[in-house]
Amino acid sequence: MANSIFKDHASFYYAKGMSVIPLQVNSKIPLTTAWSDFSDHPVPKEIQQQWLHLPADHNIGLVLGKQSGIGVLDIDYADEKLIEKILSILPEGYDTWKRVGKKGMVLAFKFNPKVPRAFKLISPEYGTLVEYLCTGQQVVLPPSIHPDTKKPYTSNSNLYEVLDQLVMVPDDLEDRLRNLIELEGISLSN
């Protein structure tokens, strides 16, 4: 039987109580519409089994939030100087899991109940610079195929193997990032 991204990797995440879902082939889009329910409770065993037997080579996504115990910081803006400054205000261990796709990076953190909602910092000039994704959102996991580059996403470790080593984002992460970006002379939308 041919390899399948979802089939070959999902069971490792399910074993750790993490909610992973199949995404459309070569896409970031979930296969099912009710996927965000798995932010709060695990994917039932029957549904896991159905998904593990899907015929196509589906990408794999992690539903973020309380159930998986994960939130991610997505740095979209590919300016090395700004990325270095953003990384400098993050807690030590921020790079325990780092995923790379087309540009920038995604960093995984232990879910912080004091930062339960996502936020996005957008510059009218440069577009989305950085966003924090958590409850009710999902992130594409390696080795899913990026829809634009048609190459696999990569990471420095398997997320399910480093789950216990992830650090928590600071409670005031949004304020810290907003201040840092504005001090760089980049205006942000409200």
Side-chain angles (χ1 to χ4, degrees), residues 8-9 12-13 16 18 97 157-164:
D8 293 349
H9 299 274
F12 296 110
Y13 291 93
K16 292 282 191 169
M18 301 169 80
W97 185 82
S157 56
N158 290 313
L159 188 52
Y160 55 84
E161 292 177 333
V162 297
L163 192 57
D164 300 338

Side-chain angles (χ1 to χ4, degrees), residues 24-102:
Q24 293 178 19
V25 176
N26 297 345
S27 172
K28 301 177 181 184
I29 300 167
L31 203 56
T32 175
T33 53
W35 63 269
S36 62
D37 294 351
F38 305 119
S39 283
D40 293 320
H41 57 81
V43 177
K45 293 260 187 260
E46 319 78 75
I47 295 177
Q48 288 179 24
Q49 287 309 308
Q50 287 173 13
W51 288 347
L52 289 168
H53 292 91
L54 288 167
D57 188 11
H58 293 278
N59 275 349
I60 183 170
L62 172 68
V63 181
L64 301 167
K66 188 174 66 180
Q67 174 59 38
S68 290
I70 305 275
V72 299
L73 190 66
D74 185 356
I75 303 172
D76 276 333
Y77 187 56
D79 174 77
E80 287 304 317
K81 197 176 87 170
L82 184 61
I83 290 173
E84 272 180 43
K85 291 197 173 182
I86 290 170
L87 298 180
S88 77
I89 66 166
L90 298 176
E92 196 173 316
Y94 69 82
D95 57 352
T96 301
W97 185 82
K98 175 177 148 183
R99 188 208 77 193
V100 179
K102 184 175 172 182

